[in-house]
């Protein structure tokens, strides 16, 4: 049996389209398609839910087609048929669902979902429509590949921005509505739900136009320090006025983001710098919050302190507990360390929850009436005021993290991360060095916890679960382990965005999980990777081009 | 005068006797090679000297003090540095950072200094940087300092590892197969480099080597290990004509003609 | 000789040993106090022991999955708890279905076999996919990397099944033939407990003989010794690793059913705690060692069920049962710190650790 090469590559494409279809089926059954259907990308034309079940097949087809070098006609045939093949899992779902009530098992296999998948048609016409739409969608992948790579990139970028703009409509409008004259311009693009069709076309045109602007050759040039300071100053300015720019609606979210940035910077030292994967990191957050609660709440304490009086105690106790938890795990490496810290985190949580320690820690009821920080006569209690408290700490902590990174201690941490045995053979005392990492990380997390406690004026053991540790870890990995700007990027994307999309809340950890895997597979260094400082050629103006080439990996 | 005296050093792994009753003296300022077939215990010996393994018995006296069983980081502070058979650089750090880590024992700044960057810390870091650049030049790696260690070619990684070891200003330098994987020309360069190190810096050097030409050309004394035991020691000439050494290398009985003997139980 | 050994002892060692000693003394003190109080009768103790044995059997079976994977890849398959959950959760639907068509009571053995097959199949598939997608491409990456993907896979699976089957609790129907209790040698067993203990022992024997005596078992052991050499000997390493995951997955699925027989409620988060405890069992017995997993499971089950009453009641700690998980995690922490090689495990050498 001789298989013509075209059939072979066709089979490959069909296979990946089928995988794409499987992903679409999963997204449908998990409920994402249904949940996101209520949000439109383009009003009355395309919903986010529809994108979710069509895009996986399109993407699978596009990626596998790119590896195929066939003539035009064959590519188009392949892409068209891929759409048909890729729609099969969903078609199967529709056919089975018509006969059997799948809902007893899959809670989301509802008539509402079938209606979305059939574009509102009855079963048989609906199946036909689904197959045709799917085929047309994948055909665009074939067509796209006929274009020059520049056009391809421009189009992909255009549709990506289109999608983001439609998805983030509420956010964009809430923010821009505060901007006076600009609000009208922005409103022109948007309908009650998603973009207007005209707005979508315009936006697409704008992005494509921007993609074709003359490219500057900036990437290879070393950034001079003045430009860098200006960028930093700009970012600082934005953060300073962020509550004013975004408006009151976002204050709560901003506080959360800042809280996680603070924790992220701490864990970044432990995991990113020193390479110690700590999965019980939430324990220090809890210890900070609980220390604040115990010392300032009149419930548990006859002589409650003020926030500022209690703060040094909370900081010291967080650091000490970092050291105490760090001591026994010094000899453990890698995965064992992760599991032990996870165990520690759980032990702390269980102890806090127990009736045994209830007289001191409040048990399941937690602690109420926690003091809020006062400056003079002003009590910091509104979300915006607390934002500035967070911001002040973030500035301090960023400074510390940045300075430490390039210090002798920072180098020791990284050496330990890279190769512990050799680091010790270089005279690095692994005990003190690791304990300093644990203590510093615990300190930052503890500070974050104190503000958290003050913000809610109460703490509950249930807000201190393992998921918090996973949130922090996920934002570090997304941003790039060891990278300070990465923490900001990670926190904004992972903590900020989900709170803006209420539909997303339910799928948050599903997406995080997938993200952790995907990042490790495709971009382990993160979105904003850690930068190594140039030390040898620091002062010299002229860098030989060869060594520059060698330094870009 | 001996800088390093090893007395009755024994190291076991379970039932395996990796080193048994090794006695060794390394003269100050000498180049001393340790040779032996694979699995003879050469690297284990290095690991014991540098505190990587705790010896089961015996003493290691360095500069008049017993260092057996001390933690690794204390031993390097007393002046012993090493390189590794399979290069072990800090791969995701730049070359110059690798050297700066090597200078760790001589730097003082702690966490507070690191954060505040007070004048003393800044001065210390500046000087450290100067010395690191000097060391880069010494091993002929100028211009490569800001490259990540993992991106350097093999030979440069070997040299960087030596530079890192030198950064701790050792009195005794242990080199574990510094010419492994090198062609004859590179080997010759490495030989001259090592000799030069001893002559200019006055460092005592102990080598583990497989390339006999190098060993014979450079060493003042040679110790031969086999199955964890010292079977011979002497000048290159003496070693070359020692029947037990030939036996160890060419197989049991090759020199004595007594036929194949049973190997010691492993 | 002692002198050189002692020089290696550092301040941290002393602190860690002191903490260990304090906990040990507390345990003994608590036990003596509890026994002197005489709060519990002998039959209460035997009940607790039987409960512990049944629980331990389930842990042992899950632990097997950790041990097999660790043995072969030297990595902790963090997602294994979700493998366990996926099979058990899915099987509840099969059980409910069988119940609805009346087989559950009329043909209990056949029904049980079907449910076991469903659970084993689903868990094995999930385990296979996790390895294929999340671990295989990263086999030569630094150690932290597959651990992070494992955590990611774990969360992905948890919340995928939450999406698929809903976030509520799902009851597992009780079987008529498992109702009631039996008395053996004066010791009272619930029938469910007996079934679980026998089932776990049977499964352990089957898996042990697979690993010891079959061709695929030999291949697994060869790959766990040295992947490259095994490949040179003509063993398909990838396939062997996949088989290992499938085997571990299937046993986790069966463990899931046994778990449901004891605690008849399934939900998407049901894997986390048993998973962590099973991992503790694997480490306790010596990770990478099949009989060790069994031993560790039984010991942990006993500690967990007897421990709170025995160690903590005497110390006057109220509602000590709330701390049973804390006891299990304390065991985990201490075994990893004091004897990471476990009870039956070899001392891990530098290259393996």
């Amino acid at each position: 049996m001789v298989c013509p090469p075209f059939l072979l590559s066709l089979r490959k494409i069909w296979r990946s389209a089928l995988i794409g279809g499987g992903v679409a089926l999963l997204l449908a059954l998990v409920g994402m398609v249904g949940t996101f259907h209520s949000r439109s990308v383009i009003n009355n034309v395309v919903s986010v839910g529809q994108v979710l079940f069509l895009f996986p097949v399109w993407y699978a087809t596009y990626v596998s087609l790119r590896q195929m070098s066939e003539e035009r006609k064959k590519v188009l045939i392949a892409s068209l048929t891929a759409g048909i093949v890729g729609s099969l899992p969903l078609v199967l779902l529709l056919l089975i669902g018509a006969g059997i009530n799948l809902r007893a098992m899959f809670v989301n296999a509802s008539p509402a979902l079938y209606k979305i998948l059939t574009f509102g048609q009855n079963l048989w016409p609906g199946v036909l429509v689904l197959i045709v739409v799917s085929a047309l969608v994948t055909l665009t992948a074939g067509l796209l590949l006929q274009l020059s790579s520049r056009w391809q990139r421009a189009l992909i970028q255009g549709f990506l921005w289109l999608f983001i703009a439609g998805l983030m409509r509420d956010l964009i409008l809430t923010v821009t509505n505060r901007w006076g004259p600009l609000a009208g311009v922005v409103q022109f693009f948007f309908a009650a739900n998603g973009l207007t069709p005209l707005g979508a076309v315009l936006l697409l045109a704008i992005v494509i136009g921007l993609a074709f602007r003359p490219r500057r050759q900036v990437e290879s040039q070393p950034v001079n320090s003045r430009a860098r300071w200006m960028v930093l100053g700009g970012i600082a300015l934005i953060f300073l006025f962020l509550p004013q720019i975004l408006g009151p609606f976002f204050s709560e979210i901003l506080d959360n983001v800042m809280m996680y940035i603070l924790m992220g910077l701490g864990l970044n030292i432990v995991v990113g710098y020193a390479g110690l994967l700590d999965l019980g990191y939430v324990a220090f957050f809890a210890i900070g919050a609980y220390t604040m609660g115990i010392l300032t709440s009149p419930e548990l304490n006859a002589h409650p302190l003020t926030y500022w009086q209690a703060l040094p105690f909370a900081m010291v106790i967080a650091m000490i507990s970092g050291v105490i938890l760090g001591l026994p795990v010094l000899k453990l490496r890698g995965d064992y360390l992760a599991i032990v810290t996870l165990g520690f985190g759980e032990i702390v949580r269980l102890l806090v929850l127990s009736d045994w320690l209830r007289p001191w820690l409040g048990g399941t009821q937690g602690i109420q009436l926690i003091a809020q920080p006062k400056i003079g006569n002003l009590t910091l209690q509104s979300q915006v005021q607390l934002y500035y408290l967070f911001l002040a700490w973030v500035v301090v902590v960023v400074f510390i993290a940045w300075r430490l990174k390039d210090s002798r201690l920072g180098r020791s941490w990284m050496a330990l991360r890279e190769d512990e045995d050799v680091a010790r053979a270089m005279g690095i005392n692994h005990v003190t060095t690791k304990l300093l990492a644990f203590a510093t990380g615990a300190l930052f997390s503890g500070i974050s916890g104190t503000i958290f406690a003050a913000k809610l004026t109460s703490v509950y053991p249930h807000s201190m679960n393992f998921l918090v540790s996973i949130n922090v870890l996920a934002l570090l990995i997304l941003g790039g382990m060891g990278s300070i700007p990465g923490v900001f990027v990670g926190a904004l994307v992972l903590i900020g965005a989900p709170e803006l999309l209420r539909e997303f809340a339910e799928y948050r950890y599903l997406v995080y999980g997938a993200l952790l895997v995907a990042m490790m597979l495709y971009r382990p260094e993160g979105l904003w990777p850690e930068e190594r400082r140039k030390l040898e050629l620091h002062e010299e103006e002229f860098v030989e081009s060869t060594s520059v080439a060698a330094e870009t990996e | 005068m001996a800088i390093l005296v090893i007395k009755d050093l024994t190291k076991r792994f379970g039932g395996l006797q990796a080193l048994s009753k090794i006695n060794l003296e390394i003269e100050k300022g000498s180049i001393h090679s340790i040779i032996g077939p694979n699995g003879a215990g050469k690297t284990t010996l290095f690991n014991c000297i540098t505190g990587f393994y705790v010896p089961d018995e015996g003493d290691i006296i360095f500069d008049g003090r017993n260092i057996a069983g001390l933690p690794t980081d204390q031993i390097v502070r007393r002046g012993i540095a090493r390189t590794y058979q399979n290069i072990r650089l800090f791969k995701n750090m730049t070359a110059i950072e690798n050297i700066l880590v090597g200078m760790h024992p001589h730097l003082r700044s702690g966490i507070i200094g690191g954060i505040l960057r007070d004048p003393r810390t800044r001065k210390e870091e500046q000087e450290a940087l100067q010395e690191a650049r000097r060391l880069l030049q010494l091993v002929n790696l100028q211009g490569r300092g800001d490259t990540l260690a993992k991106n350097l070619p093999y030979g440069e990684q070997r040299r960087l590892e030596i530079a890192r070891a030198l950064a701790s200003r050792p009195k005794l330098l242990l080199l574990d197969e510094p010419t492994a994987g090198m062609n004859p020309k590179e080997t010759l360069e490495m030989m001259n480099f090592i000799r030069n190190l001893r002559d200019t810096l006055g460092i005592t050097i102990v080598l583990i080597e497989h390339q006999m030409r190098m060993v014979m050309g450079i060493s003042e004394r040679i110790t031969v290990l086999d199955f964890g035991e010292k079977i011979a020691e002497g000048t290159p000439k003496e070693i070359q004509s020692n029947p037990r050494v030939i036996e160890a290398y060419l197989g049991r009985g090759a020199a004595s003609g007594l036929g194949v003997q049973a190997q010691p139980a492993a | 000789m002692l002198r050189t050994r002692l020089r290696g002892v550092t301040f941290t060692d002393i602190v860690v040993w002191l903490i260990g000693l304090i906990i040990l003394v507390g345990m003994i003190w608590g036990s003596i106090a509890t026994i002197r109080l005489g709060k519990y009768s002998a039959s209460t103790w035997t009940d607790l022991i039987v409960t512990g044995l049944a629980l331990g059997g389930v842990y042992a079976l899950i632990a097997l999955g950790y041990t097999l994977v660790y043995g072969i890849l030297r990595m902790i398959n963090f997602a294994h708890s979700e493998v366990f959950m996926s099979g058990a959760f899915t099987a509840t639907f099969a059980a409910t279905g069988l119940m609805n068509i009346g087989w559950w009571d009329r043909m209990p053995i056949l029904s049980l076999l079907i449910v076991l097959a469903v659970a084993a199949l689903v868990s094995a598939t999930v385990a296979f996919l996790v390895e294929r997608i999340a671990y295989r491409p990263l086999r030569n990456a630094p150690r932290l990397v597959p651990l992070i993907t494992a955590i990611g896979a774990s969360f992905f699976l948890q919340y995928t099944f939450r999406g698929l089957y809903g976030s509520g609790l799902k009851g597992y129907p009780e079987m008529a033939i498992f109702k009631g209790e039996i008395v053996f040698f004066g010791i009272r067993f619930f029938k469910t407990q007996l079934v679980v203990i026998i089932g776990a022992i049977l499964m352990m024997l089957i898996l042990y003989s697979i690993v010891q005596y079959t061709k695929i078992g030999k291949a697994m052991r060869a790959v766990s010794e040295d992947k490259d050499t095994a490949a040179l000997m003509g063993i398909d390493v990838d396939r062997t690793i996949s088989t290992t995951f499938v085997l571990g997955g299937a046993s986790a699925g069966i463990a899931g059913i046994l778990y449901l027989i004891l605690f008849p409620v399934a939900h998407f988060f049901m894997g986390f705690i048993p998973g962590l405890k099973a991992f503790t069992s694997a480490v306790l017995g010596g990770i990478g060692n099949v009989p060790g997993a069994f031993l560790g499971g039984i010991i942990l089950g006993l500690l967990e069920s007897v421990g709170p009453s025995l160690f903590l009641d005497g110390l006057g700690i109220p509602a000590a049962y709330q701390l049973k998980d804390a006891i299990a995690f304390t065991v985990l922490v201490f075994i990893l710190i004091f004897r990471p090689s476990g009870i039956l495990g070899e001392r891990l050498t530098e290259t393996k650790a």
Side-chain angles (χ1 to χ4, degrees), chain B residues 7 54-61 65-70, chain C residues 1-9:
Chain B
K7 286 184 191 156
V54 177
D56 293 311
E57 283 166 38
D59 295 320
I60 301 169
I61 294 152
R65 295 189 62 181
N66 193 351
I67 58 165
L70 276 188
Chain C
M1 183 181 166
L2 191 66
R3 186 178 47 89
T4 27
R5 282 265 164 227
L6 278 180
R7 286 184 85 174
V9 175

Side-chain angles (χ1 to χ4, degrees), chain A residues 339-477:
Chain A
I339 295 278
V340 168
T341 49
L342 171 62
F344 270 141
E346 285 296 296
I347 293 171
V348 168
R349 192 175 63 87
L350 289 165
L351 286 179
V352 171
L353 270 170
S354 70
D355 288 346
W356 175 34
L357 298 175
R358 186 189 209 133
W360 301 281
L361 300 177
T364 40
Q365 260 80 58
I367 305 173
Q368 276 80 33
L369 303 174
I370 295 171
Q372 296 192 305
K374 275 189 187 156
I375 298 174
N377 283 329
L378 175 74
T379 307
L380 300 180
Q381 54 186 356
S382 78
Q383 286 154 343
V384 175
Q385 287 163 339
L386 286 165
Y387 171 83
Y388 285 107
L389 183 59
F390 272 122
L391 186 64
W393 273 116
V394 166
V395 170
V396 172
V397 167
V398 164
F399 180 77
I400 293 175
W402 166 65
R403 277 285 173 90
L404 283 182
K405 184 178 170 176
D406 293 327
S407 72
R408 172 169 174 260
L409 181 61
R411 287 193 302 265
S412 312
W413 279 334
M414 281 167 222
L416 277 177
R417 174 188 75 190
E418 295 293 314
D419 191 331
E420 182 170 334
D421 297 328
V422 180
R424 291 183 59 188
M426 298 292 125
I428 292 169
N429 181 328
H430 70 302
V431 175
T432 45
T433 311
K434 277 187 183 179
L435 288 183
L436 275 174
F438 276 120
T440 319
L443 171 67
F444 295 167
S445 186
I447 292 170
S448 195
T450 64
I451 312 178
F452 175 76
K455 186 179 129 204
L456 299 179
T457 67
S458 56
V459 283
Y460 302 97
H462 297 289
S463 45
M464 310 293 173
N465 59 33
F466 178 50
L467 292 177
V468 176
S469 304
I470 291 301
N471 281 336
V472 184
L473 182 68
L475 76 87
L476 269 192
I477 285 164

Side-chain angles (χ1 to χ4, degrees), chain A residues 399-400 402-430 433 436 440 530 532-540 544 546-547 550-553, chain B residues 52 71-73 76-77 80 82 84 88-94 96-97 100-102 104-105 107-111 114-117 124-126 129-130 133 136 141-148 150-151 164-165:
Chain A
F399 180 77
I400 293 175
W402 166 65
R403 277 285 173 90
L404 283 182
K405 184 178 170 176
D406 293 327
S407 72
R408 172 169 174 260
L409 181 61
R411 287 193 302 265
S412 312
W413 279 334
M414 281 167 222
L416 277 177
R417 174 188 75 190
E418 295 293 314
D419 191 331
E420 182 170 334
D421 297 328
V422 180
R424 291 183 59 188
M426 298 292 125
I428 292 169
N429 181 328
H430 70 302
T433 311
L436 275 174
T440 319
E530 179 200 3
R532 311 287 336 135
R533 206 161 52 126
K534 300 248 180 293
L535 287 176
E536 190 192 5
L537 304 167
H538 198 48
E539 300 126 333
E540 281 147 46
E544 297 142 284
T546 48
S547 67
E551 274 143 23
T552 52
E553 271 183 54
Chain B
F52 198 73
T72 316
D73 48 296
V76 67
R77 281 164 196 275
I80 302 181
R82 71 172 289 187
Y84 298 83
R88 287 174 80 171
L89 288 165
F90 305 117
K91 293 195 187 72
N92 289 308
M93 299 173 82
T94 62
I96 207 157
E97 279 174 327
L100 285 171
V101 171
H104 187 90
L107 304 180
R108 290 285 154 265
S109 79
I111 184 165
I115 295 169
L116 300 179
R117 266 189 212 164
E124 183 185 275
E125 283 285 299
Q126 270 308 320
L129 209 54
Q130 292 299 337
R133 290 188 186 131
L136 267 183
L141 280 176
Q142 58 272 40
R144 309 293 266 160
D146 293 327
T147 313
L148 290 184
K150 64 177 176 190
N151 294 339
R164 185 181 67 180

Side-chain angles (χ1 to χ4, degrees), chain A residues 107-108 327 331 335 340 355 467, chain C residues 12-13 143 155 163-164 322:
Chain A
V107 287
N108 291 303
L327 262 179
K331 283 188 180 163
D335 32 16
V340 168
D355 288 346
L467 292 177
Chain C
T12 35
D13 292 330
R143 264 165 85 92
F155 271 84
L164 289 178
Q322 287 176 338

Side-chain angles (χ1 to χ4, degrees), chain A residues 9-31:
Chain A
S9 52
L10 206 56
R11 253 179 35 200
K12 220 186 248 163
I13 287 160
W14 285 355
R15 223 185 81 187
S16 62
L18 210 56
I19 293 174
V23 172
L25 178 68
L26 193 70
L27 290 179
L29 284 180
V30 160

Side-chain angles (χ1 to χ4, degrees), chain C residues 69-87:
Chain C
V69 169
Y70 192 90
I72 209 161
L73 287 181
R74 310 263 169 239
M75 71 165 282
I76 298 171
N77 179 11
F78 206 86
H80 192 63
S81 50
E82 269 45 71
V83 170
F84 159 81
M85 174 275 291
S86 63

Side-chain angles (χ1 to χ4, degrees), chain C residues 150-345:
Chain C
I151 295 169
S154 166
F155 271 84
F156 176 77
L157 288 173
Q158 239 176 59
Y159 284 84
T160 299
F161 279 90
R162 179 181 187 261
L164 289 178
Y165 300 153
S167 56
L169 304 175
K170 175 85 189 149
Y172 175 85
E174 213 181 339
M175 258 187 179
I177 54 161
F178 293 159
K179 277 181 188 152
E181 42 194 63
I182 295 179
V183 178
F184 267 129
F185 311 111
I187 298 169
R188 193 173 51 135
F189 288 85
F190 284 106
K191 279 186 187 165
T192 47
Q193 293 172 336
L194 205 61
V195 169
V196 169
I197 293 171
I198 294 170
I201 291 175
L202 217 64
M203 273 307 294
M204 291 303 292
L205 287 177
I206 293 173
L207 284 163
Y208 184 68
S209 30
I210 289 177
V211 173
Q212 278 311 317
Y213 305 116
T214 62
K215 201 174 159 192
I216 185 70
K218 269 182 201 145
M220 280 162 62
R221 280 181 290 141
V223 172
S224 101
E225 281 299 320
D226 187 334
K227 279 202 265 305
D228 299 331
T229 313
L232 285 176
M233 297 296 147
I235 293 170
D236 185 340
V237 172
D238 278 344
R239 235 184 91 186
T240 309
I241 291 173
S242 284
T243 317
T244 311
F245 273 84
V246 166
L247 214 57
S251 60
I254 289 166
I257 298 297
L258 298 184
Y259 187 82
L260 285 174
I261 291 175
L262 290 178
F263 310 101
V265 179
H267 52 98
F268 76 98
F269 200 62
M270 70 186 283
F272 182 67
I273 299 284
L276 203 51
K277 287 180 186 164
F279 174 73
T280 309
S281 314
V283 177
L284 190 60
I287 199 156
N289 180 316
V290 174
F294 192 70
L295 187 68
I298 297 296
I299 293 176
L300 192 75
L302 287 174
L303 275 177
E304 186 187 324
S305 92
V306 178
S309 316
L310 185 62
F311 308 141
L312 302 179
D313 261 5
L315 297 175
I317 291 173
Y321 62 90
Q322 287 176 338
L323 294 175
K324 69 181 169 68
D325 289 353
I327 288 183
F329 297 142
T330 311
V331 170
L332 168 69
V333 170
F334 275 85
I335 195 77
L336 282 181
I337 292 165
F338 288 110
R339 196 179 156 83
S341 53
I343 299 170
L344 297 184

